Amino acid sequence: MILTGDANALAAKLVAAGLLTPSMLPGPTELVVGGFLRARVVTHLGEQFLSSGQGGFRVYCPAALGPGGTPARLSNTTAAFAGALTRWRAGGPRKMDCGCGANHDLADLHFRPACGFAREWIELLDVGCADLSQAALDVLDGAPILLRRG
Ligand SMILES: [Zn+2]
């Protein structure tokens, strides 16, 4: 999944670059190494939390990251995040009180594997390999990429 604020605009850029066809099939220029079957634009009225669907999910406090962004051992806030996510989904604020003393926006936390919040994204279905081509990375210009199983 490619998270974005405007999935239709991003899809148009991918089509213009030859990475997708207008019918959301693989274009003449490789988007994903190993190819994919098709893509689709997904939009929701409200923001969604998108997990990787993989096991071993961990959440870390952004204030306790070590050199190179490596999470410090004691900064694991997975349990607090789970409660805060449940409250947010029930209509509460997208925030949580952290052990570091701060009240973090849930989107500012560090997720391993990567997760994110978005209202719109482009899903690539039946991806051969998770590596994006350089042409795709150039068009995406830093847009968050989320790998999801299933
Ligand atoms: Zn914290």
Side-chain angles (χ1 to χ4, degrees), residues 61-63 77 98-102 104:
C61 167
T77 59
C98 183
C100 75
H104 298 299

Side-chain angles (χ1 to χ4, degrees), residues 49 51-52 54-59 76 78 81 111-115:
F49 175 69
S51 75
S52 66
Q54 300 171 37
F57 174 71
R58 295 285 182 273
V59 184
N76 187 329
T78 307
F81 170 78
F111 302 97
R112 301 285 187 277
C115 297

Side-chain angles (χ1 to χ4, degrees), residues 30-125:
E30 183 178 69
L31 194 158
V32 179
V33 176
F36 64 100
L37 191 60
R38 61 189 168 93
R40 68 177 182 172
V41 168
V42 179
T43 61
H44 286 266
L45 290 176
E47 203 162 47
Q48 309 290 307
F49 175 69
L50 300 157
S51 75
S52 66
Q54 300 171 37
F57 174 71
R58 295 285 182 273
V59 184
Y60 297 97
C61 167
L65 292 182
T70 304
R73 191 164 187 270
L74 296 176
S75 70
N76 187 329
T77 59
T78 307
F81 170 78
L85 183 65
T86 299
R87 290 189 296 277
W88 173 71
R89 284 177 166 157
R94 197 182 69 183
K95 297 219 166 226
M96 70 169 231
D97 290 324
C98 183
C100 75
N103 183 255
H104 298 299
D105 183 329
L106 300 182
D108 292 338
L109 299 169
H110 290 262
F111 302 97
R112 301 285 187 277
C115 297
F117 290 85
R119 277 189 339 103
E120 303 191 4
W121 58 89
I122 295 175
E123 276 184 10
L124 303 177
L125 304 170

